[in-house]
Amino acid sequence: MRQALEQAKRAAELDEVPVGAVLVDAVGELIASGHNQPISSTDPSAHAEIVTLRAAALIKSNYRLPDTTLYVTLEPCTMCVGAIVQARVARVVYGAREPKTGAIESAHRLFESGTFNHRPEIDGGVLAHECSDIMTQFFENKRRNK
């Protein structure tokens, strides 16, 4: 999660919402990392999770990424949950909850619907305070600089 936080800081430096993600294999080796970049890439789907999964799929030459763990600083949204399912990520570890768009336990509980053909193991709240703080500081700075 600390590596994901570093990615979130990179996003903030680029004036993107500070969300970072990393994907590791079963032995904990880093496969890929990424951060939010929908503004700089003019791509509404360029969330940290999507960027990371795309990079990992290219590295692995496979859109399926079984036996991997995705660490992300913020609870994934509906779009990212869909990508996680399609990639067959085995485990998702996230930091801060996202009360407005979180699709795992906050606004929606998509994995509890029973409609997906894949359900990863979920661990939420890892370094939640640090993950939340980077978001809070980012938006406080945005409001102050308006």
Side-chain angles (χ1 to χ4, degrees):
M1 187 61 78
R2 297 238 180 254
Q3 290 179 19
L5 277 163
E6 289 303 314
Q7 288 294 319
K9 290 174 187 172
R10 292 178 81 188
E13 291 168 2
L14 297 170
D15 206 28
E16 299 273 4
V17 174
V19 179
V22 297
L23 188 74
V24 300
D25 64 18
V27 295
E29 293 291 321
L30 180 68
I31 299 170
S33 60
H35 54 79
N36 267 10
Q37 46 191 283
I39 297 166
S40 59
S41 68
T42 60
D43 178 357
S45 69
H47 289 195
E49 301 94 323
I50 304 289
V51 169
T52 302
L53 293 174
R54 283 178 180 157
L58 286 172
I59 289 165
K60 293 293 190 178
S61 298
N62 192 345
Y63 76 107
R64 300 284 197 216
L65 301 165
D67 302 318
T68 59
T69 299
L70 179 68
Y71 291 86
V72 60
T73 58
L74 187 66
E75 180 181 0
C77 70
T78 301
M79 174 182 68
C80 293
V81 164
I84 289 163
V85 169
Q86 293 302 313
R88 304 298 193 266
V89 172
R91 180 174 174 230
V92 176
V93 179
Y94 68 89
R97 290 179 68 179
E98 173 39 91
K100 292 181 181 178
T101 62
I104 292 177
E105 73 169 329
S106 297
H108 309 285
R109 295 176 172 264
L110 293 182
F111 288 119
E112 293 177 13
S113 70
T115 58
F116 291 121
N117 59 349
H118 173 73
R119 185 174 199 259
E121 179 185 334
I122 304 292
D123 292 306
V126 175
L127 298 179
H129 186 69
E130 291 176 53
C131 293
S132 180
D133 279 352
I134 194 170
M135 296 287 285
T136 300
Q137 290 169 358
F138 177 79
F139 286 109
E140 282 176 357
N141 289 340
K142 291 287 253 189
R143 286 188 292 276
R144 188 177 16 233
N145 294 331
K146 255 190 166 176

